[in-house]
Amino acid sequence: MDDHPIMRGGIVTLLSTDDDIVVVAEAGDGDEAARRAIELRPDVTLMDLRMPVLDGVGSIERIRSEWSDATIVVLTTYDTDEAIVRAIEAGAAGYLLKDAPPDELLDAVKRAANGDTVLAAPVAKRLVERVRDPAAGALSQRELEVLRAVASGNTNAQIAGELHISQATVKTHLLHIYDKLGVTDRAAAVARAYDSGILTSGL
């Protein structure tokens, strides 16, 4: 399931080259993907994360709520910690990247159909690092101060003035925060911090 017709067509064409794989449906948005998966119950559903109407994670959650045994494998270009964790928590049985060699993708689809968990090498590496060293992504005291200020709605200029640092330093701290939390913007950083307990309602 992919919202780009050319990309979706290429994936269908690739899958169709394997005699062991039959493509039963395709969809251009998350809502349609969920409806078709629930109706047709394929052995494996490939799901992009960035989808219109309903995003990939929402589609995975809807499918799994109606069909708990569904095997859904994410196929996307996004490999941030946040994207990986959200997809797996939603119930994805695998996480693949679109730049994977064709043979690897075909093999992964067949292994997923047989009940295996399939992860792209970079994704597996991220998950292993996260488990081995959960403190590696811990925020420093200064980064926490910057994040609290962001959560309070302050601009970079206001944060710089409050903490007596330059705006360039604020931006650097924000980049480090984004990297550690696996996000790409201020709003996502704050949401992630609340979800993970780094920030509480009392700040």
Side-chain angles (χ1 to χ4, degrees):
M1 313 299 183
D2 194 293
D3 62 322
H4 296 291
I6 294 177
M7 176 63 73
R8 191 168 69 248
I11 294 170
V12 169
T13 298
L14 171 62
L15 295 174
S16 299
T17 63
D18 193 300
D19 293 337
D20 295 326
I21 298 175
V22 176
V23 178
V24 297
E26 56 183 280
D29 65 66
D31 179 69
E32 181 184 15
R35 286 188 287 104
R36 291 196 174 190
I38 293 168
E39 175 187 358
L40 298 172
R41 304 210 166 193
D43 294 328
V44 178
T45 298
L46 290 178
M47 182 73 67
D48 194 4
L49 291 183
R50 296 292 177 92
M51 300 274 278
V53 184
L54 180 66
D55 70 10
V57 170
S59 187
I60 292 170
E61 290 173 338
R62 182 179 298 176
I63 295 169
R64 296 274 296 183
S65 70
E66 296 287 334
W67 175 25
S68 60
D69 293 331
T71 297
I72 306 164
V73 175
V74 170
L75 179 61
T76 186
T77 57
Y78 305 96
D79 64 347
T80 65
D81 287 0
E82 181 188 32
I84 295 167
V85 171
R86 287 186 66 222
I88 292 175
E89 287 179 344
Y95 199 109
L96 306 173
L97 302 177
K98 289 181 179 178
D99 61 0
D103 288 347
E104 286 187 17
L105 176 57
L106 292 173
D107 180 63
V109 170
K110 288 187 279 189
R111 286 193 292 113
N114 288 327
D116 292 345
T117 297
V118 292
L119 298 172
V123 173
K125 183 174 182 290
R126 281 179 177 271
L127 290 175
V128 169
E129 290 174 346
R130 192 182 184 96
V131 171
R132 282 181 176 171
D133 191 7
L139 301 184
S140 68
Q141 185 58 42
R142 180 61 90 183
E143 289 164 352
L144 281 171
E145 291 172 346
V146 170
L147 186 57
R148 289 190 185 103
V150 169
S152 296
N154 293 327
T155 65
N156 285 3
Q158 291 171 326
I159 296 171
E162 179 181 330
L163 299 180
H164 306 292
I165 56 179
S166 69
Q167 290 191 53
T169 300
V170 173
K171 290 180 181 178
T172 298
H173 284 312
L174 284 172
L175 290 176
H176 290 163
I177 291 168
Y178 297 163
D179 183 59
K180 289 180 178 181
L181 297 183
V183 299
T184 57
D185 58 56
R186 299 164 76 95
V190 172
R192 182 72 174 175
Y194 278 122
D195 287 345
S196 60
I198 294 172
L199 293 180
T200 64
S201 59
L203 295 183

